[in-house]
Amino acid sequence: MGQRHPATTSSEHLVIVGNGMAGHRLVEALVARPERPARITVIGAETTPAYNRILLSPLLAGEMEREALTLRDAEWYAEQGIELVLGERVENIDRSARRLTTDAGRELGYDRLVLATGSNPARPPVPGLELPGVHVFRDLDDADTLANAAEQGSNAVVIGGGLLGLEAAEGLRKRGMQVSLLQRDDRLMNRQLDLTAARLLEKELRGRGLDIHIDAQLERLEAGADGQVCAAHLADGTRLAADCVVVAIGIVPNTALARSVGLDVNRGVVVDEWLTTSDPAIHALGECCEHQGNLYGLVEPIWRQVEVLADCLCGKPGTGYVEAPTATKLKVSGVSLYAFGPTDPEADHEVLSYRDPQQGDYRRLLLRDGRLEGAVLYGDTASGPWYFEQALASRDLAACRSALLLGAADAQLLLDDALNESPQSPAKEAA
Ligand SMILES: Cc1cc2nc3c(=O)[nH]c(=O)nc-3n(C[C@H](O)[C@H](O)[C@H](O)COP(=O)(O)OP(=O)(O)OC[C@H]3O[C@@H](n4cnc5c(N)ncnc54)[C@H](O)[C@@H]3O)c2cc1C
């Protein structure tokens, strides 16, 4: 690993396995570059061209039409001279012959291959998980299945109190179901929120009618007389009726294909900074890959991987992919949340916090040596991106500390004043 990516020539045949968000974004990036590989084939297991997976949540909640998720249709691919094969899964890769085979028996040669196979929903080892009526929430088919389940049933249990679980639970609730949500941790969104923000969120969602169980230990799922799931049992003896169960406890990189053909796989397909796997002719990006021990579950870092890989595939390898922090937002309408950095303070963090119970606003900032390292904003999140920008730039915020909690506008004014007053600043010299 760590080898520099060899330059490509545009006559190469590039095959992209997976027409999800990463695979599609790569196509968009390639067609925008004059040096794009002349021949590009995309093979996707789903039957529709790539769509905006992020919007599955508002789709499930009935807030958006199916068409709004479309990114590009099959005609667009044809217009770009790209062969799009849908509804076929790549099953094998003969790396020495550089040929692949799909489950439909299609065989195809390649010069360079990109794995963009995404991830699979994680499943807890709980008895009853295989029962009919137990679903995941990953693709369009899942969203349809859940919408149908909501029409037929009245009780749902959602396992997982992270982003995806909350969005699924709210979606089903909006479709009229009685929803119980199970969170194993001591708070909702435990990977993003501190306890105060998590409790505010919990209160808001309870107020809407969600039945939230914190510190919940799911013991087993029960089958009814018809063989369908009918209830969830918790370790404390609670029995929750369920016509429908949604498992949303996290994701596992989809590495089966890479592993089966002998590529280096750890938790994800191991890649270097040019997204190259242990085979120099094969790259991987998105949720299926692992870079320096990191896995991915949000699109922001994946978009940066796409730019790096697109340059490589056009024979212009740049400086390579570099990890950077990401901020999180929740897509539940009426709830504004913005968070980045550590959830809980370390011993040498300075903690600044502000709470306005009337307005339902909460802000908590974590600073180290005057520099912002983490923020949790609930309610008014308008300043979130500004805080994130300060943290990314590792800016010394001592000059605006007194206004930091007031938000971006006030804090920036103080920063600007300090800059104007500094002896080196042109404004001071002119004065
Ligand atoms: C409901 C939901 C809401 C989300 N909300 C957000 C959000 O608000 N913000 C955010 O940043 N991220 C969000 N995400 C995560 C985001 O969608 C993913 O990070 C992103 O889709 C990852 O892109 P990917 O291409 O790696 O994987 P995917 O988009 O899953 O695409 C992988 C594709 O590869 C196909 N495939 C797999 N194996 C094969 C094979 N052998 N042959 C052919 N095709 C194959 C799969 O069928 C799939 O279509 C959300 C995800 C979900 C499910």
Side-chain angles (χ1 to χ4, degrees), residues 17-23 43-46 53-57 88-91 116-119 137-139 163-164 167 254 257 285-288 296-300 302 329 331:
V17 182
N19 186 221
M21 293 198 76
I43 306 177
E46 291 184 69
R53 201 174 297 285
I54 291 176
L55 298 181
L56 285 174
S57 302
E88 289 187 31
R89 184 171 289 277
V90 175
E91 269 192 341
T117 53
S119 58
F137 185 30
R138 179 74 199 170
D139 60 26
L163 274 177
L164 192 61
E167 291 180 9
N254 184 355
L257 178 62
L285 89 166
E287 287 188 354
C288 69
Y296 307 92
L298 294 171
V299 294
E300 203 274 328
I302 300 176
K329 291 176 217 148
K331 303 191 304 298

Side-chain angles (χ1 to χ4, degrees), residues 396-412:
D396 184 348
L397 299 171
C400 65
R401 190 190 170 289
S402 60
L404 255 186
L405 282 171
L406 300 179
D410 295 81
Q412 186 65 54

Side-chain angles (χ1 to χ4, degrees), residues 331-407:
K331 303 191 304 298
V332 165
S333 60
V335 178
S336 286
L337 261 173
Y338 189 97
F340 63 86
T343 51
D344 293 310
E346 288 164 21
D348 54 346
H349 272 137
E350 183 186 4
V351 184
L352 300 182
S353 68
Y354 157 87
R355 189 164 171 189
D356 179 345
Q358 296 296 84
Q359 296 291 325
D361 279 342
Y362 171 67
R363 265 169 233 174
R364 194 231 43 203
L365 307 177
L366 295 183
L367 293 119
R368 198 192 302 265
D369 301 327
R371 288 165 167 76
L372 197 54
E373 288 196 347
V376 174
L377 279 73
Y378 183 94
D380 177 1
T381 57
S383 297
W386 185 85
Y387 288 129
F388 189 50
E389 205 184 299
Q390 308 312 306
L392 284 183
S394 194
R395 199 156 287 141
D396 184 348
L397 299 171
C400 65
R401 190 190 170 289
S402 60
L404 255 186
L405 282 171
L406 300 179

